[in-house]
Amino acid sequence: MKERLLSLVLLYALFIGAAYSQSRQVGGKVTSQADGNPISSVSISIQGSNVATQSDANGMYSIQASTGSTLVFRSIGYEEKQVKVGSSSSLNVQMVPEVGAIDEVVVVGYGSARQLGSVVGSVVKVNRDNISGKPNANAMESLQGKVPGLQVFTSSGEPSATPSIRLDGVGSLGASSTPLIVLDGIPVDAGSLVSMNPEDFESITVLRDASATSIYGSRAANGVVYFTTRKGKAGERANITARTQYGWNDLASRKAFDQLMNSDELLGMWVDVGFVDQEEADEIKADFPEDFRWDTYYYRKNSPVKQYDLNVSGGSDRLQYYVSGGLFDQTGMMYRSDFKRVNLRSNITGRLNKWVNFGLNLAGGYDQRQTNGWGTNNLNGGLAMLALPWYKPYDADGNEIYDQSTIPGLGAYSPRYLQDMNPSVGRNQQFNPNMFLEAKPIAGLTLRTQAGMDYFNYRTSSRRMPSYLGAPGLGNGSEGYQQGISRTITNTIEYNWDINDQHNLIVLGGHEYSDYNFESLSAGVQGLTDDRLILLSAGTTGQTVGQTKTAYAFNSFFGRGSYAFAKKYFADVTVRQDESSRFGKNQRKATFWSLGGKWEMKNEDFLRDVSWLNALSLRSSIGTQGNAAIGDYEALATVGTTVYDQKTGWGIAAPGNPNLTWENQQKFSVGFAAQLLDRVNLDFEYFNRNTTSQLIDVPYPYTSGFGSVLSNVGRVLNTGFNLGLSATVLRGKDFAFTPYVNLGFVNQEVKELFQGKDYWIIPNTGVSWAVGSPVEFFYPIQAGVNPDNGLMQWYVPGDNIAHANKDPENVTSSFNPGVLQQSTGIKRYPPFNGGFGFTSAYKGFYFNVDFTFSKGKYLINNDRYFFANPYNFIGYNQNREVLDYWKEPGDVTKFPRFGQINQFDSGLIEDASFLRLKGVSVGYNLPKSVLGHQNFFTNARIFYVGRNLMTFTKYLGPDPEIDSNLTLGANPNSKQSMIGIELQF
């Protein structure tokens, strides 16, 4: 018996050894049959075993497999493919898209994910390869230039800055124009994204037209941006990815500071105008022989950026998981400017039984942020470049002037000293849980309940130290606390009915409830006298306290029906009724709808055999959306306390408007998508966006007790087109080159205002609204310098100041802003925005480049009032352009004679159009021949990424990307360069 048992054991060991001897490293590249591009995150498993891996960013994979075994390739949006392992160790695989040559899976709001080929609405999906590894804290910036019609501008160099976002123009003159942000089905605030790790996002889908957005009703007037987080895949072994990146910051451009005069130029002008004589100028040059670049002092070079990410994903048929952790640490250009963030995420999806699925996403983050507090028209920040070029912030021994005195020639303290003596830090805790339960009791029927939350807890702490030389013994302090929680619960029922593969009907119904609660508490004191006693309780005077609380709620019912016939003709209809607490009690409900259709022309018999045409579809939709992006109690007349004659009383705090209701938008669009020669993808769309009943603060005489009342008035129209084009110019076994271009054009026109007005000048902004025109800059218009007397001239407005009048026979040299202001004819919002670039790969190398641009963008460069005003700011440095000033009769110059003050007029309005090298990524994936000698790492790559590396613009200020009507001592955008290494095992 023992001998038989021993024989069986030896036979089993020999069998295992033989099987093991046949096992070897098999690898290759996974590409799309549609365009030849590599496919990342493809799950590759050995059939009948738990052995699995996934492809990297360039489609490369490697797995231990034996001859005769079957590899199973799975990826969302592609047909499953099974390949038997032969004698070769190299196995390249092409995967076929599930529907059409340009198809992929997208999220269209509620219900199940859909194939792009069956979606009527206009949607654009940006995949993880365009999001991952970027040297910026906010994933939204990754969309800049990637989506036609989507404008993303970053207006600050602060690492914690939130970009401004607009889709297909500015649809409201009074309410917000920011799209609705949705995270895994739950609406979140756009500001929450800075507290989330971009590495955790699988894709970002932009819903643009009425057919795609009307299902969101009141919150979708400005479009929808849908973030989908990463998840594990069924049949995928535990795959661990570790990435570390290190880099450095600098200003995106220093051109504005290159234009400042050096010592010789400035002293030469001073001598010419008589501010100093030649002897005094020579003495200054003798005492200070070297120039100093103040911008390199106030905007530091090569400040560090660090990013570390670790995640593990995998799953079986019953349970899938994705768990990640991340650390981001960026020091800004200016002092007291930095951002540090820690993130954790756990996404679990699974199957309880054959017909019940569940999911639980838990995401939390903690960040610490500091922002520079001296950026607006301040000699300690944006205006510090006025400092004279011959002075330095260092003493004779080369030591920084810190707390001894102010900087010579500037009268300001060291920015590092200001940072240390005026600490201010914000700490944010972010929590975004999300769970769903989904049941499929019968074929085609899906019942789903989903609940989620967007929560933040933000704490600020600020001090002015008692030892601060600017106010010795007069320290102060403040503490602030803010907490906001948005909760959403959604219930849907969906039925998908398919008949003979010819008719497909999907019917969806649902209910959604969402509410938000916010509260804040603040306290401050003065009279802190010792740096060792800086708690608020140590303050002796000026105690203050503040508290706010606000809330709103939405209650909604919605439905959608989608029909497809023979995979050629598609139609859908949506309807949604919203109720909001923000509006008057009789005006809280509104109903929104959409109709859409699509014709897959390529599937017709007359085009089916056209070999050079791979896909062609025509789509159109019309529908309505609403806008409720206003304050929470604008419809209510509220009461507040007041003090009069040392007695407390009540007073009306806000007038309210019981008839206040939804801003309404109707959007029509028509477009087509095509693929040619199996290489060229083209998407074009025309849109007409008409907004009525706008939510605008309508002005009233102050004798009424209030300066304005929020009302539903006016109409604005946006029309334009969006174009997306890409082409796989080169495609082979080991190489690929795919350029692309995206363009959005918007023409805006104010069609109606309020109170019968033809125009309205928005006070203190330099901007006006005028019927028949877009939003325009409104300033006195320069007519040039009079060559006879050197005085600046301005055009005298005509009878209608809403239209620019530039009659050369009607000018004046007497400046009166109230009399001379008129429309400049210059648009406030740029009509053209977009991006272009390419992706490329050769064997293990890849090289990707992204440019973004804005054309027709203008800014009031308020900084030039200080930097190009030599008489008013004599004694400070100036832009060398002021050297072109009038000196004698007959001179044709840009600037008037010395002694005349430059005014706030059209001379400050500059063309801020720009072209920016937004992103560069270069990397190398180690070949399998190198990794094949070990069994620990499955993939490894080294890479470089850059952001804002080059900027081309005529704008004379520090940063053309600022999204505002004017700029005041801005903290300009920065550029980053980072190197990294990524390992998978």
Side-chain angles (χ1 to χ4, degrees):
M1 183 67 183
K2 291 182 180 180
E3 292 177 354
R4 290 181 180 179
L5 182 60
L6 180 60
S7 298
L8 288 173
V9 170
L10 290 173
L11 183 62
Y12 182 75
L14 289 172
F15 175 78
I16 293 296
Y20 183 80
S21 66
Q22 296 175 7
S23 179
R24 66 184 188 281
Q25 201 77 15
V26 177
K29 189 173 186 178
V30 186
T31 58
S32 170
Q33 189 186 69
D35 55 18
N37 287 333
I39 308 173
S40 64
S41 303
V42 177
S43 172
I44 303 108
S45 61
I46 299 177
Q47 193 175 62
S49 76
N50 293 323
V51 179
T53 185
Q54 69 176 22
S55 61
D56 62 19
N58 291 307
M60 305 300 294
Y61 76 95
S62 177
I63 192 170
Q64 195 78 18
S66 58
T67 302
S69 61
T70 299
L71 298 185
V72 182
F73 295 77
R74 298 188 183 97
S75 181
I76 294 177
Y78 292 88
E79 295 178 359
E80 178 182 301
K81 188 158 188 174
Q82 297 183 6
V83 180
K84 183 166 288 189
V85 177
S87 58
S88 175
S89 297
S90 177
L91 191 59
N92 296 323
V93 174
Q94 282 194 333
M95 298 189 71
V96 179
E98 288 182 337
V99 181
I102 57 174
D103 215 2
E104 57 183 324
V105 174
V106 294
V107 178
V108 291
Y110 303 93
S112 304
R114 307 267 293 280
Q115 296 293 335
L116 183 59
S118 66
V119 175
V120 172
S122 176
V123 299
V124 178
K125 182 178 178 182
V126 177
N127 291 311
R128 177 159 53 98
D129 293 343
N130 293 303
I131 308 168
S132 176
K134 305 297 183 182
N136 48 271
N138 197 315
M140 188 61 73
E141 194 180 274
S142 301
L143 298 180
Q144 189 173 20
K146 292 290 188 179
V147 179
L150 184 70
Q151 175 190 300
V152 181
F153 286 158
T154 301
S155 297
S156 171
E158 292 289 351
S160 58
T162 297
S164 63
I165 316 159
R166 284 193 288 272
L167 182 62
D168 291 345
V170 176
S172 176
L173 299 181
S176 172
S177 291
T178 300
L180 174 67
I181 309 298
V182 180
L183 176 68
D184 288 333
I186 303 300
V188 299
D189 187 83
S192 299
L193 294 175
V194 74
S195 297
M196 301 179 189
N197 188 355
E199 299 301 319
D200 291 335
F201 298 133
E202 181 66 32
S203 65
I204 305 174
T205 303
V206 180
L207 314 182
R208 300 189 298 187
D209 71 345
S211 182
T213 62
S214 288
I215 191 71
Y216 284 100
S218 66
R219 310 175 81 170
N222 301 304
V224 179
V225 182
Y226 197 107
F227 287 76
T228 302
T229 58
R230 298 172 64 179
K231 296 175 177 61
K233 296 180 176 65
E236 177 187 44
R237 72 170 182 84
N239 184 69
I240 302 173
T241 302
R243 181 192 298 117
T244 179
Q245 295 173 251
Y246 182 84
W248 50 95
N249 290 290
D250 199 354
L251 285 186
S253 173
R254 293 185 181 266
K255 187 180 75 169
F257 309 123
D258 294 338
Q259 304 304 313
L260 296 173
M261 284 191 270
N262 58 35
S263 298
D264 290 337
E265 292 168 325
L266 184 59
L267 288 171
M269 188 189 74
W270 281 7
V271 171
D272 289 342
V273 301
F275 183 64
V276 298
D277 57 31
Q278 189 62 54
E279 183 180 350
E280 291 173 310
D282 292 341
E283 184 177 344
I284 291 173
K285 288 199 290 186
D287 292 339
F288 305 98
E290 296 180 354
D291 283 359
F292 183 74
R293 285 287 299 248
W294 287 97
D295 61 290
T296 62
Y297 180 64
Y298 278 89
Y299 300 101
R300 296 169 293 188
K301 289 185 175 182
N302 300 328
S303 59
V305 189
K306 293 171 280 188
Q307 186 170 340
Y308 309 98
D309 294 288
L310 177 67
N311 65 70
V312 57
S313 64
S316 64
D317 291 339
R318 296 293 298 267
L319 187 71
Q320 300 84 48
Y321 57 88
Y322 170 82
V323 181
S324 73
L327 170 65
F328 182 85
D329 186 353
Q330 180 177 352
T331 301
M333 296 292 91
M334 302 187 78
Y335 286 86
R336 209 187 76 181
S337 173
D338 61 55
F339 182 68
K340 299 176 182 178
R341 181 186 65 204
V342 178
N343 294 94
L344 294 173
R345 173 174 285 275
S346 173
N347 288 355
I348 306 295
T349 55
R351 180 164 53 91
L352 296 178
N353 53 43
K354 292 184 178 180
W355 57 280
V356 178
N357 300 322
F358 74 95
L360 176 63
N361 296 349
L362 299 176
Y366 172 81
D367 64 71
Q368 180 175 298
R369 59 188 78 174
Q370 295 187 84
T371 57
N372 182 274
W374 300 277
T376 302
N377 285 353
N378 196 305
L379 282 176
N380 295 308
L383 299 185
M385 302 320 114
L386 289 169
L388 298 175
W390 48 83
Y391 288 117
K392 294 181 180 180
Y394 304 100
D395 61 22
D397 297 325
N399 300 312
E400 183 181 6
I401 298 173
Y402 179 71
D403 56 359
Q404 303 93 329
S405 62
T406 58
I407 297 172
L410 187 60
Y413 289 102
S414 156
R416 188 165 65 88
Y417 178 70
L418 289 174
Q419 167 191 266
D420 296 341
M421 291 294 102
N422 297 270
S424 179
V425 62
R427 298 176 177 88
N428 186 62
Q429 299 168 355
Q430 188 78 28
F431 185 45
N432 291 89
N434 182 341
M435 64 173 295
F436 75 86
L437 190 65
E438 185 178 80
K440 299 182 178 181
I442 60 174
L445 180 64
T446 303
L447 307 174
R448 183 182 176 98
T449 293
Q450 181 169 3
M453 184 170 67
D454 182 22
Y455 169 85
F456 75 89
N457 187 322
Y458 188 61
R459 174 74 181 271
T460 59
S461 180
S462 300
R463 294 292 187 275
R464 185 177 70 194
M465 304 303 288
S467 61
Y468 174 50
L469 294 175
L474 298 175
N476 60 45
S478 65
E479 298 285 335
Y481 161 84
Q482 298 177 354
Q483 178 179 276
I485 177 171
S486 173
R487 303 174 299 182
T488 302
I489 183 168
T490 307
N491 299 292
T492 59
I493 178 172
E494 182 183 39
Y495 187 69
N496 190 328
W497 187 30
D498 193 87
I499 303 176
N500 298 326
D501 203 30
Q502 287 290 306
H503 303 273
N504 180 258
L505 177 65
I506 303 175
V507 180
L508 171 77
H511 168 262
E512 183 171 82
Y513 176 82
S514 179
D515 63 18
Y516 178 74
N517 289 275
F518 171 85
E519 57 182 293
S520 69
L521 187 66
S522 61
V525 298
Q526 297 179 4
L528 298 176
T529 58
D530 193 296
D531 285 5
R532 296 167 297 181
L533 299 171
I534 57 172
L535 295 179
L536 297 191
S537 56
T540 57
T541 61
Q543 290 87 351
T544 60
V545 64
Q547 185 177 14
T548 61
K549 190 172 183 179
T550 186
Y552 68 78
F554 287 88
N555 190 44
S556 308
F557 295 90
F558 54 88
R560 179 177 65 218
S562 302
Y563 173 73
F565 173 69
K567 297 183 180 179
K568 300 179 189 178
Y569 313 109
F570 301 84
D572 69 19
V573 57
T574 66
V575 62
R576 178 170 177 135
Q577 183 187 77
D578 282 316
E579 185 176 11
S580 173
S581 63
R582 286 175 166 170
F583 299 116
K585 62 179 181 180
N586 298 324
Q587 302 287 342
R588 289 179 175 169
K589 290 185 179 180
T591 301
F592 307 96
W593 56 269
S594 75
L595 297 170
K598 185 169 75 167
W599 179 20
E600 283 288 352
M601 301 174 66
K602 173 60 179 175
N603 292 337
E604 297 288 356
D605 291 339
F606 62 87
L607 289 178
R608 194 183 304 275
D609 296 328
V610 179
S611 59
W612 56 267
L613 182 65
N614 307 105
L616 177 63
S617 64
L618 180 69
R619 66 179 184 270
S620 183
S621 70
I622 186 172
T624 62
Q625 302 87 26
N627 195 339
I630 57 173
D632 294 329
Y633 306 113
E634 298 284 357
L636 301 178
T638 56
V639 173
T641 58
T642 184
V643 177
Y644 179 76
D645 195 21
Q646 299 182 344
K647 295 180 180 179
T648 302
W650 285 356
I652 299 177
N657 182 355
N659 296 316
L660 195 68
T661 189
W662 308 84
E663 185 174 277
N664 190 63
Q665 172 186 279
Q666 184 176 96
K667 191 172 186 179
F668 167 78
S669 64
V670 60
F672 70 89
Q675 186 180 77
L676 313 174
L677 303 173
D678 198 28
R679 290 176 181 265
V680 180
N681 294 307
L682 174 65
D683 190 284
F684 177 86
E685 180 179 73
Y686 165 83
F687 65 86
N688 181 297
R689 182 184 182 190
N690 186 39
T691 307
T692 59
S693 301
Q694 294 181 94
L695 294 161
I696 294 176
D697 283 311
V698 176
Y700 280 86
Y702 282 100
T703 53
S704 66
F706 301 96
S708 63
V709 177
L710 188 65
S711 307
N712 294 101
V713 294
R715 183 164 73 95
V716 65
L717 178 66
N718 287 275
T719 58
F721 67 85
N722 299 315
L723 173 67
L725 175 64
S726 66
T728 304
V729 177
L730 299 175
R731 182 174 64 202
K733 178 181 177 181
D734 296 321
F735 59 88
F737 178 72
T738 303
Y740 74 90
V741 60
N742 296 311
L743 174 65
F745 169 76
V746 180
N747 180 57
Q748 182 192 57
E749 183 181 355
V750 177
K751 305 295 287 188
E752 181 184 342
L753 287 173
F754 44 81
Q755 299 170 345
K757 295 183 181 297
D758 293 327
Y759 65 87
W760 174 248
I761 306 168
I762 308 172
N764 304 315
T765 64
V767 172
S768 68
W769 304 332
V771 175
S773 302
V775 178
E776 294 178 332
F777 288 101
F778 203 90
Y779 253 10
I781 303 177
Q782 284 187 3
V785 176
N786 188 326
D788 297 327
N789 55 25
L791 297 178
M792 179 60 73
Q793 303 173 115
W794 294 270
Y795 292 108
V796 176
D799 295 333
N800 185 358
I801 64 174
H803 297 282
N805 179 55
K806 298 182 180 180
D807 182 0
E809 302 300 323
N810 192 8
V811 298
T812 180
S813 294
S814 177
F815 185 78
N816 185 328
V819 173
L820 294 177
Q821 62 178 342
Q822 60 172 316
S823 173
T824 62
I826 300 173
K827 297 178 181 180
R828 157 65 179 91
Y829 300 106
F832 287 97
N833 295 284
F836 61 90
F838 63 83
T839 61
S840 63
Y842 176 70
K843 292 188 176 180
F845 294 93
Y846 65 90
F847 178 37
N848 305 325
V849 173
D850 299 305
F851 285 90
T852 62
F853 65 86
S854 181
K855 179 63 177 175
K857 184 179 187 297
Y858 285 84
L859 271 173
I860 298 175
N861 186 355
N862 192 81
D863 295 348
R864 289 188 66 236
Y865 180 77
F866 302 96
F867 288 96
N869 211 340
Y871 177 73
N872 211 31
F873 295 98
I874 193 71
Y876 291 98
N877 202 358
Q878 295 283 286
N879 192 304
R880 62 172 52 91
E881 66 172 338
V882 303
L883 295 175
D884 182 22
Y885 66 95
W886 187 92
K887 299 180 181 66
E888 59 185 30
D891 285 350
V892 178
T893 60
K894 182 177 181 178
F895 287 88
R897 68 187 187 188
F898 188 81
Q900 190 174 15
I901 296 174
N902 292 339
Q903 305 290 349
F904 288 99
D905 56 26
S906 65
L908 298 180
I909 304 175
E910 295 184 24
D911 185 352
S913 302
F914 67 88
L915 171 64
R916 183 160 263 172
L917 179 53
K918 196 65 185 182
V920 171
S921 59
V922 183
Y924 177 65
N925 291 277
L926 269 67
K928 302 304 177 184
S929 58
V930 175
L931 297 175
H933 298 294
Q934 49 81 47
N935 295 318
F936 189 67
F937 297 112
T938 58
N939 288 296
R941 70 181 176 109
I942 54 175
F943 60 94
Y944 163 87
V945 290
R947 169 182 177 266
N948 291 344
L949 296 183
M950 291 191 295
T951 302
F952 306 92
T953 182
K954 295 179 180 178
Y955 182 63
L956 298 177
D959 187 11
E961 194 173 326
I962 294 170
D963 186 23
S964 177
N965 55 308
L966 78 166
T967 172
L968 301 166
N971 184 351
N973 261 288
S974 57
K975 62 182 177 183
Q976 286 78 38
S977 289
M978 298 184 72
I979 54 176
I981 182 169
E982 180 181 277
L983 302 173
Q984 292 183 354
F985 47 92

